[in-house]
Amino acid sequence: MTKRITPLAPDRVHALSGAYAGAIATTRRRNGVTLAVILGLIVLSAWVAEVRPLVFARNIGRFTAYIGQILPHLTFANFGGDVADWYWGLPKWLGLLGETILMAYLGTLLGAAAAFALCFAAAANIARTRTGCFVAKRVFEFCRTVPEIVFALLFVIAFGLGPMVGVLALAIHTTGALGKLFAEVIENIDMKPVESLTAAGANRVETIRFAVLPQVLSNFASYGLLRFEINVRGAGVMGFVGAGGIGQEFLVAIRNFYDTDVSAILVLIILTVMGIDLATERLRHHLLGLTR
Amino acid sequence: MSRIAVPDPAAIAALRQRHPEVFRRSWRGRVVTLALLAALVGFAAFAMVRLEFSATRILAGLGRLGEFAILMLPPDSGDRAGAFLLALGETLAIAFLGTLAAALMAFPVAFLAARNVVPNPFVHFTVRRGLDVIRSVDVLIWALIWINVVGLGPFAGALAIACADFGALGKLFSEAMETVDRKAGEGVSASGGTVLHRIRFGVVPAVLPVLGSQVLYFFESNTRSATIIGIVGAGGVGQYLTELIRVLELQQVSFLILLILVTVTAIDLVSSRLRRALIGGQAR
């Protein structure tokens, strides 16, 4: 037995499809306006940023040519010799890479220590005074917003050239970035242990040690590792302003058109960053997985 | 008046006996913690020696920094406020164009890197590693490379930001696509839609707000990186900053830094508003 679906009355169909068309038209109109605004901004900023599509189109060949130019000439017959030739400066570069990683490590550690010392004052839920909380947050914001390389530029003049300057610059930026994250972690804790410890008469240090720290430590470590990874990247370019690490060598190579050196150092940097990326990701998953 | 009963020593001893594991000091845990701390500090000490940290240099430098701080006040534009503002506009334009170009490039590539869209493991593994390689090159290095191609100026800066963020956004986009609810896509497939239909109606509407908010977030952070890209000659306010610091025009430096702080804060405010509107629109 077949059952028939009664069609809607024509006027009802008309009303429904009209409402649908209206709703669609509204979204279309809104999307159109958004698109027009974005296009306007593109044109404006392209004009300000001196975008020259023609130059780009003409010179895009130079990009591929440049890539080809910096790649080493490796032959299958003399592969080992060619690679040795390409990496003629390997011992020096590895030393500089080691220096870069040490800079990142020390910068992260010092910055994390400063952030740790300040973050309890900046977390709104356990801060003792409102002004202290406000001041600590603004300090973090300042350290975070001024790019590390600007600090490095200033410090190079004050302290003289060398990796120490890079470490200090990284440390200050890290203090700002980690301090904000640490304070946010603390603001999201479960307050019950804090309340019970306060009720039992614990002082502030005891409360932090036994109620706050156990809840936040693994997150702190995870953020610290993430920052280390970012700082390795940052330490790699500190040398551009004379603040140590492999950046200086890279800048010299690229400015003087030591083409194969550019690719050799670039490959080393990429491998280091990716290796540290993978290692810290493992460690972080391990950390967060253990405590969950 | 009621008093809190303090348990007598005998009761405490009984408690200790009943729950020994709570009161036992875990020596192993302590040793591990101490060893970890000692390793961290020891390595830091080694790093300090290796990187030639010296207390005298730090003290002398701090003294000079103090002098700088005094010389920086009050901030003064030195009659170049117009030029600074123009450079700041250039910085914003670099950040905007770079982020937009990166997003436009990353959007199609992210589909290839998402496991639930392209089931072929070989494809998404290759694409992911490629994105990782691009991501691990710092934006300043990209700027140096692009300067060699299009010459000095803001255009190179925009291209550098586009390249550096292409890797990062591609990764984030593909992760967002992988967490999307499968039901909508399955519904489209069940009613006879092709793969493209599935992507268009099952994946894109769900991820678009998330992607939009990520792009805005990157725009925020790019206004920061666009301020420094001028250090290598790729346009924007960084060029002035480097020059002024080199010639120790510290009052103008502090003026410029204040200007940057204000701009970055304003952009942060606007974009966090927009982000909330985007994400809120999805939840409703």
Side-chain angles (χ1 to χ4, degrees):
Chain A
M1 197 175 86
T2 50
K3 213 173 180 179
R4 291 194 57 188
I5 303 168
T6 40
L8 285 171
D11 54 331
R12 185 90 184 104
V13 170
H14 192 70
L16 278 177
S17 62
Y20 179 72
I24 290 287
T26 324
T27 15
R28 286 251 161 96
R29 214 172 306 131
R30 204 191 307 142
N31 289 347
V33 169
T34 317
L35 210 62
V37 168
I38 291 180
L39 277 179
L41 281 175
I42 289 177
V43 170
L44 179 71
S45 45
W47 177 66
V48 172
E50 299 168 22
V51 171
R52 289 152 301 186
L54 287 178
V55 175
F56 183 69
R58 210 175 328 124
N59 289 1
I60 187 66
R62 281 228 301 253
F63 180 67
T64 42
Y66 185 68
I67 297 286
Q69 199 181 324
I70 64 174
L71 285 182
H73 187 69
L74 296 180
T75 50
F76 194 71
N78 185 20
F79 189 73
D82 283 342
V83 169
D85 218 25
W86 185 25
Y87 276 100
W88 64 273
L90 192 63
K92 183 174 65 173
W93 294 336
L94 282 185
L96 283 171
L97 261 184
E99 189 178 294
T100 310
I101 293 173
L102 282 183
M103 279 166 63
Y105 171 74
L106 206 52
T108 314
L109 198 68
L110 294 178
F116 186 78
L118 272 174
C119 67
F120 298 105
N125 53 347
I126 60 163
R128 243 178 312 187
T129 60
R130 282 187 154 261
T131 33
C133 174
F134 182 81
V135 170
K137 285 210 160 150
R138 290 297 87 73
V139 168
F140 286 154
E141 202 170 278
F142 176 76
C143 295
R144 197 172 66 236
T145 305
V146 179
E148 55 219 1
I149 209 135
V150 173
F151 280 125
L153 271 172
L154 272 173
F155 289 177
V156 160
I157 300 176
F159 295 93
L161 298 168
M164 189 181 86
V165 172
V167 172
L168 293 179
L170 284 173
I172 288 187
H173 193 78
T174 305
T175 305
L178 279 184
K180 180 193 176 222
L181 291 172
F182 284 3
E184 273 170 9
V185 171
I186 295 176
E187 279 168 6
N188 283 328
I189 60 169
D190 181 4
M191 282 303 277
K192 287 187 211 105
V194 178
E195 281 157 18
S196 54
L197 271 188
T198 315
N203 65 23
R204 186 172 161 81
V205 176
E206 284 164 347
T207 315
I208 288 177
R209 166 66 186 85
F210 293 105
V212 181
L213 273 194
Q215 296 188 53
V216 298
L217 217 48
S218 58
N219 270 320
F220 279 17
S222 156
Y223 278 132
L225 283 170
L226 198 65
R227 197 69 220 171
F228 172 59
E229 182 198 317
I230 297 171
N231 279 346
V232 171
R233 241 166 273 188
V237 297
M238 276 294 163
F240 289 6
V241 296
I246 197 152
Q248 182 118 39
E249 196 71 16
F250 184 74
L251 190 70
V252 168
I254 208 166
R255 284 268 155 88
N256 294 343
F257 300 100
Y258 299 154
D259 289 322
T260 52
D261 283 13
V262 171
S263 64
I265 297 175
L266 204 54
V267 168
L268 277 180
I269 293 178
I270 290 174
L271 285 181
T272 312
V273 170
M274 280 177 83
I276 284 179
D277 225 22
L278 282 179
T280 55
E281 197 174 312
R282 275 267 172 96
L283 260 176
R284 279 176 48 227
H285 285 177
H286 185 68
L287 261 175
L288 295 179
L290 261 187
T291 50
R292 214 174 277 147
Chain B
M1 212 170 83
S2 69
R3 290 189 59 188
I4 300 168
V6 176
D8 56 290
I12 293 179
L15 270 176
R16 268 181 193 278
Q17 204 136 44
R18 234 180 305 149
H19 306 284
E21 69 281 3
V22 177
F23 288 94
R24 190 177 41 209
R25 289 187 175 178
S26 134
W27 287 108
R28 215 177 127 250
R30 290 202 171 185
V31 167
V32 169
T33 315
L34 274 180
L36 207 66
L37 269 180
L40 279 177
V41 173
F43 195 58
F46 163 72
M48 281 190 183
V49 173
R50 176 77 214 294
L51 300 179
E52 295 160 10
F53 266 59
S54 86
T56 49
R57 256 183 82 196
I58 291 185
L59 284 179
L62 282 181
R64 231 167 302 159
L65 268 187
E67 282 171 31
F68 285 179
I70 294 166
L71 285 176
M72 276 186 174
L73 296 172
D76 179 28
S77 66
D79 295 331
R80 291 166 80 187
F84 290 164
L85 281 177
L86 220 63
L88 211 56
E90 200 174 279
T91 303
L92 286 183
I94 292 173
F96 179 73
L97 281 183
T99 317
L100 202 69
L104 288 181
M105 290 193 293
F107 187 64
V109 175
F111 286 109
L112 296 180
R115 211 165 300 165
N116 54 344
V117 178
V118 177
N120 185 342
F122 181 72
V123 171
H124 71 76
F125 182 82
T126 320
V127 174
R128 283 243 159 139
R129 288 293 89 79
L131 289 174
D132 277 349
V133 168
I134 294 174
R135 203 162 53 95
S136 56
V137 177
D138 194 88
V139 66
L140 282 179
I141 297 179
W142 275 116
L144 282 176
I145 293 175
W146 279 111
I147 283 173
N148 277 351
V149 178
V150 296
L152 292 169
F155 189 30
L159 287 171
I161 284 189
C163 280
D165 279 11
F166 168 53
L169 279 177
K171 185 183 178 212
L172 284 177
F173 282 6
S174 65
E175 275 164 8
M177 285 169 190
E178 280 179 358
T179 56
V180 90
D181 191 356
R182 309 174 55 115
K183 291 194 202 92
E186 277 167 10
V188 173
S189 297
S191 52
T194 62
V195 180
L196 279 180
H197 285 134
R198 191 162 65 90
I199 292 173
R200 167 66 185 84
F201 296 105
V203 180
V204 171
V207 295
L208 219 47
V210 181
L211 302 196
S213 100
Q214 280 168 349
V215 170
L216 278 172
Y217 182 74
F218 266 73
F219 176 57
E220 273 173 53
S221 83
N222 278 339
T223 37
R224 279 160 222 231
S225 33
T227 56
I228 57 163
I229 217 161
I231 287 173
V232 294
V237 83
Q239 227 136 358
Y240 282 113
L241 207 56
T242 328
E243 267 171 45
L244 292 173
I245 289 178
R246 291 251 159 90
V247 298
L248 285 180
E249 283 281 0
L250 290 173
Q251 285 182 318
Q252 293 185 30
V253 170
S254 61
F255 181 81
L256 207 51
I257 288 180
L258 270 181
L259 215 58
I260 293 174
L261 286 181
V262 169
T263 315
V264 168
T265 315
I267 295 278
D268 275 11
L269 274 179
V270 172
S271 104
S272 68
R273 274 266 172 98
L274 276 175
R275 268 192 354 231
R276 216 168 304 143
L278 265 176
I279 297 283
Q282 185 197 29
R284 241 175 275 135

